[in-house]
Amino acid sequence: MKKTLFISFLFVALSTSAQIIHKRKLSMLGSPFEIMVVAKDTVQANIYIDIAIGEVRRIENEISDWIPTTPISEVSRNAGIKPVKVPAEVFELVERAIKVSQITSGAFDISYASMDRIWKFDGSMKEMPTPEAIKKSVEKIGYKNIILDKKEQTIFLKKEGMKLGLGGIGQGYIADKIQALLLSKGCSSGLVNVSGDIFAWGRQPDGKPWTVGIVNPMNKNKIIATFPLENSAVETSGSYEKFVVFGGKRYSHIIDPRTGYPAMGVVSVSVFAKKTEIADALATGIFVLGVDVGLDLVNQLKGIECIIVDDKGKIFASKGIDIEKYSK
């Protein structure tokens, strides 16, 4: 469920009232990581950014599924064997992930890590996997087989061979945690981008809000619209660069965990929310659900909006977004 970023930043790095914007780019969590903070000087800005990086590393050692010593890895190792007691932070994140699975009817599912990787999007695939292989690839997936014991604070995976992967919600969670921590340390304005999971708070030194442009995935030189982000988040999931074509049909690299087949019909989904975590998880789920079902879901969720681009380049928006207003 790796994402392709279709978001461009529009900001003015200037000094006003002794405030500056300081930016740092690096690679974390195996992906691009970017943070911008408003501070009185470079020294203070670097302190804030170092705090943010420390928080990323702390959470990574709690929820990463590729670091063998994390609680999540321990849960997967004990699939079908026994429940594993985990820290409250991990338990609650998994609990919230399951709620997203419920509202997306399983289109988002953190047990997707159990999937057999039979689809290849590196150009090596010459034919589609067989229906039997596709069906078998998702046999161990199913959020209903993630058993939580709130009293004991344990997680148990019912099927042997099941695995959890929090990549589809964890990066958004990290962005939220960075914002909350920096705000508590006195950083009243900034923007964090964890591989396309973006949260912005406060305003730039000139008093203007942080602004993001949603790029048209069919033509990266064009921006669909620009939106102000004020104490809110946006996340874009896309498949413009990673897909295969068989029989004239385009299959994205984002797989439906319920069927094992790649999602079809959608090229990108951008979700706006007050929390990056929910934007992160819903973007994947909506991509899998498709235009009609995805929009219907978003239109029922308070405080959530989205923009969907289908594989013909047509742009759809939820009822709370006026594309014309923001494209001017």
Side-chain angles (χ1 to χ4, degrees):
M1 293 187 181
K2 198 167 179 63
K3 311 174 193 79
T4 303
L5 179 59
F6 293 125
I7 294 179
S8 65
F9 293 110
L10 307 172
F11 69 95
V12 181
L14 47 76
S15 180
T16 305
S17 303
Q19 295 285 300
I20 64 163
I21 294 176
H22 194 76
K23 177 169 69 171
R24 194 185 301 178
K25 289 183 178 181
L26 59 158
S27 179
M28 300 195 78
L29 307 166
S31 303
F33 175 88
E34 182 175 15
I35 183 166
M36 291 180 276
V37 297
V38 174
K40 63 181 180 179
D41 53 37
T42 302
V43 173
Q44 183 64 66
N46 280 322
I47 290 172
Y48 289 148
I49 292 172
D50 288 343
I51 289 171
I53 291 170
E55 182 71 345
V56 175
R57 288 175 176 149
R58 182 192 70 79
I59 299 172
E60 184 178 26
N61 282 298
E62 294 288 340
I63 69 171
S64 172
D65 59 308
W66 56 269
I67 298 176
T69 54
T70 65
I72 284 296
S73 292
E74 183 70 9
V75 169
S76 295
R77 262 196 304 275
N78 284 280
I81 301 171
K82 65 177 182 178
V84 174
K85 188 174 179 64
V86 298
E89 179 177 31
V90 176
F91 184 91
E92 290 164 6
L93 180 59
V94 170
E95 190 174 41
R96 294 193 300 275
I98 290 173
K99 288 179 181 176
V100 178
S101 293
Q102 292 168 345
I103 66 172
T104 61
S105 302
F108 171 82
D109 192 328
I110 57 172
S111 68
Y112 80 92
S114 316
M115 188 185 304
D116 294 333
R117 302 298 194 265
I118 60 173
W119 294 89
K120 309 292 181 185
F121 299 92
D122 56 5
S124 63
M125 283 188 74
K126 303 305 178 187
E127 59 183 16
M128 282 186 64
T130 65
E132 293 77 19
I134 293 171
K135 183 179 179 181
K136 187 176 184 301
S137 73
V138 293
E139 282 181 347
K140 295 171 184 175
I141 297 176
Y143 71 91
K144 292 180 181 179
N145 290 318
I146 305 171
I147 310 303
L148 303 182
D149 186 324
K150 202 172 185 70
K151 183 180 178 182
E152 298 297 326
Q153 208 167 280
T154 60
I155 303 174
F156 177 55
L157 306 182
K158 285 177 69 174
K159 292 186 176 181
E160 186 177 349
M162 279 187 75
K163 295 178 182 177
L164 296 186
L166 293 173
I169 193 171
Q171 290 176 332
Y173 173 69
I174 287 171
D176 292 336
K177 292 293 285 185
I178 287 172
Q179 183 269 342
L181 180 58
L182 290 187
L183 197 60
S184 75
K185 298 295 183 182
C187 181
S188 59
S189 179
L191 183 149
V192 60
N193 172 18
V194 186
S195 188
D197 296 282
I198 298 168
F199 192 101
W201 69 100
R203 287 176 171 252
Q204 297 182 66
D206 61 359
K208 294 179 180 178
W210 300 96
T211 308
V212 296
I214 306 299
V215 178
N216 189 328
M218 309 300 279
N219 183 348
K220 293 187 180 181
N221 294 318
K222 289 188 177 181
I223 291 178
I224 294 172
T226 59
F227 297 89
L229 279 188
E230 299 188 63
N231 302 314
S232 59
V234 62
E235 200 281 342
T236 294
S237 288
S239 68
Y240 182 69
E241 295 171 333
K242 287 188 176 182
F243 61 92
V244 291
V245 178
F246 292 118
K249 293 184 178 180
R250 184 182 184 280
Y251 297 88
S252 85
H253 77 288
I254 298 177
I255 309 294
D256 186 337
R258 302 167 300 182
T259 66
Y261 283 86
M264 296 175 63
V266 174
V267 174
S268 75
V269 174
S270 297
V271 176
F272 297 83
K274 286 298 181 183
K275 290 290 184 182
T276 327
E277 175 189 306
I278 189 67
D280 191 6
L282 280 177
T284 302
I286 292 165
F287 196 106
V288 169
L289 290 172
V291 176
D292 294 338
V293 178
L295 283 176
D296 183 59
L297 171 62
V298 171
N299 287 333
Q300 296 178 59
L301 300 175
K302 185 177 180 181
I304 308 292
E305 302 293 346
C306 80
I307 294 172
I308 303 174
V309 181
D310 72 8
D311 57 4
K312 304 292 190 299
K314 188 173 181 180
I315 299 167
F316 302 83
S318 56
K319 61 185 180 183
I321 291 183
D322 183 348
I323 291 285
E324 294 298 320
K325 174 183 176 182
Y326 291 104
S327 60
K328 294 177 182 178

